Amino acid sequence: MTPLILALLAGAVAGVSLGALGAGGSILTVPALVYLLGFTPAAATTASLVVVVVMSVTALVAHARAGDVRWRAGLLFAAAGLLPAAGAGALSARVPAAVLTLLFAAVAALAGLHMLHRRTPRGNGTVSRTRAVGAGAGLGAVTGFLGVGGGFLAVPALVTVLAVPMSAAVGTSLLVVGANALVALAGRAYTAVHLDLTLLLPFLAAAVLGAWDGRRLAAKVSAGTLRRVFGAVLLAVAVAMGATAVL
């Protein structure tokens, strides 16, 4: 199978995950770029940020039109993560590939377990600015360092920390994730990382189209089934990446 076909297929899978579940797209993007398309871990996490920015903005427009974005809460949460995202983004390119791979495997395992055992978070109706700043900074650091969007972390944090209704949490998380990824990408602007655009652009195009298909798939298949399937895939990816880094 040619690299171009692999890029299209991998991008479509990542897009379907994001469109159907509101999370998981970037978690699948990094290992796909590394193991299928031959990117280095540093290049893959940088390329993943490009994918996260484009897909987040695309999906955010649709949610905003439906009135499912809480702009004030999202901007507050995102603002807390901007500096950590930029700093972590600049630091990531200087970390050994094996360490970066192990850390990513740990986050992928966390995401997989979250999807397998996900429960609808509930807010307590109160907003803690201290907790909001802490959660936003932590999410920004993870996004910048590993190139993941962090939707699986942002959604429950928005509900429990900023009292955002669940109906608006996914749309609002896209604002947070997109802002963090854009700043993290800027933090890597001066690092010597080569991105193969002949593979990245087809991957990105397929991911955007896959996100729309994912929304339609979510209407036909139960959310629980989708989460279990993608959760199992993420755990398998985490094990494979961890074993590769160690061996």
Side-chain angles (χ1 to χ4, degrees):
M1 191 176 296
T2 65
L4 177 60
I5 298 300
L6 286 174
L8 292 172
L9 290 176
V13 172
V16 167
S17 173
L18 182 65
L21 301 173
S26 57
I27 289 284
L28 294 174
T29 294
V30 172
L33 292 174
V34 171
Y35 296 109
L36 297 181
L37 303 181
F39 282 55
T40 65
T45 54
T46 300
S48 178
L49 289 170
V50 176
V51 175
V52 169
V53 169
V54 174
M55 292 181 67
S56 296
V57 171
T58 302
L60 178 62
V61 171
H63 282 274
R65 288 177 177 174
D68 292 333
V69 179
R70 298 294 184 267
W71 295 97
R72 181 176 297 180
L75 290 173
L76 172 64
F77 202 82
L82 295 184
L83 286 178
L91 176 64
S92 178
R94 297 174 173 82
V95 174
V99 174
L100 199 62
T101 301
L102 278 175
L103 290 173
F104 189 92
V107 172
L110 176 63
L113 292 172
H114 172 78
M115 287 187 176
L116 289 174
H117 301 287
R118 180 178 176 182
R119 295 179 181 178
T120 301
R122 296 180 180 179
N124 56 16
T126 61
V127 177
S128 168
R129 291 188 179 274
T130 301
R131 293 178 62 197
V133 170
L139 180 64
V142 171
T143 299
F145 195 75
L146 297 178
V148 300
F152 68 98
L153 296 172
V155 171
L158 285 167
V159 174
T160 58
V161 177
L162 289 182
V164 174
M166 189 63 195
S167 59
V170 171
T172 307
S173 75
L174 292 168
L175 172 62
V176 177
V177 164
N180 285 338
L182 184 60
V183 171
L185 190 60
R188 300 187 184 204
Y190 299 103
T191 59
V193 175
H194 171 70
L195 300 181
D196 187 347
L197 296 182
T198 62
L199 295 177
L200 178 58
L201 292 180
F203 183 101
L204 182 56
V208 172
L209 294 175
W212 290 103
D213 289 335
R215 292 189 187 93
R216 289 194 288 267
L217 178 63
K220 298 178 181 179
V221 181
S222 71
T225 299
L226 288 172
R227 286 197 302 269
R228 285 190 291 272
V229 170
F230 281 106
V233 171
L234 286 176
L235 286 178
V237 167
V239 171
M241 293 187 75
T244 300
V246 172
L247 300 176

